Amino acid sequence: MTTSSTTWRPPTEFVEQCRELYGLECPPLWGTPRRPELKTLGGKVALVMERLGYTPMPWQRYVWDVALEIDPPSGLFWHRDVGLSVPRQQGKTQGLLAVKVHRAQAWKRQGIVYAAQTRSRARERWEDEFWATIEASRLARRFVCRRANGHEAIIARSTSS
């Protein structure tokens, strides 16, 4: 694709797909189009987010649907790596928590790691945001919290993830 502008613009088909499938009037500046022929776990993550007490935003639905596409022959994720760049205060924490909670409930013995600039900052976010959100949600009974210093964990009772 050649343009006379130094700024890349998404292809028209991508813009139309984002508007039609997700109601995104302002499509991402870059991104992977959704492959509607592939199954995705995005809808299940959206249900988890609702059970956590949040309404999924259209951009989150788009990201989950693309990032969690399933390869039909193998049953594995289509994408090995997923990158996300979103400005501050746009729902990244709640969106990623929904993905983590879904994964913990969907598969046995999953190790899900969260890191921050420092250990104390990671503990603050883990306790004040992640556990507080789960504890106040309809999913609270499905999880147990371990607060031992250096061994903190939110554990799904049914899967030990």
Side-chain angles (χ1 to χ4, degrees):
M1 178 170 107
T2 58
T3 65
S4 58
S5 169
T6 57
T7 303
W8 181 83
R9 298 278 182 229
T12 305
E13 308 82 44
F14 180 54
V15 173
E16 289 170 3
Q17 183 190 57
C18 287
R19 186 176 295 122
E20 181 182 316
L21 294 178
Y22 304 100
L24 287 170
E25 292 301 321
C26 182
L29 290 178
W30 54 269
T32 302
R34 171 78 172 98
R35 291 176 188 84
E37 70 275 10
L38 297 180
K39 290 183 181 179
T40 180
L41 297 177
K44 292 183 179 188
V45 173
L47 289 173
V48 168
M49 189 168 187
E50 289 170 0
R51 290 185 178 128
L52 288 170
Y54 297 100
T55 301
M57 290 183 257
W59 77 263
Q60 291 168 320
R61 293 295 308 261
Y62 158 71
V63 169
W64 297 329
D65 280 356
V66 173
L68 302 175
E69 290 175 333
I70 304 295
D71 177 41
S74 69
L76 301 173
F77 290 112
W78 183 268
H79 303 283
R80 181 175 173 88
D81 298 305
V82 176
L84 175 64
S85 178
V86 181
R88 292 178 43 82
Q89 303 293 314
Q90 297 299 311
K92 290 185 300 290
T93 298
Q94 293 85 5
L96 290 174
L97 178 59
V99 172
K100 291 183 253 184
V101 168
H102 172 265
R103 186 165 186 110
Q105 292 184 104
W107 290 281
K108 292 184 181 291
R109 313 283 305 161
Q110 294 294 296
I112 302 165
V113 177
Y114 175 77
Q117 297 86 340
T118 65
R119 188 192 176 300
S120 62
R121 294 292 300 228
R123 166 90 189 221
E124 285 174 28
R125 175 153 289 185
W126 172 83
E127 196 165 23
D128 298 343
E129 293 186 43
F130 300 151
W131 177 244
T133 298
I134 293 169
E135 188 176 37
S137 77
R138 296 179 0 199
L139 300 174
R141 292 182 295 146
R142 297 181 184 191
F143 291 87
V144 63
C145 181
R146 183 175 66 211
R147 288 188 167 93
N149 201 16
H151 300 282
E152 299 91 341
I154 299 170
I155 302 166
R157 294 178 190 270
S158 64
T159 62
S160 298
S161 290

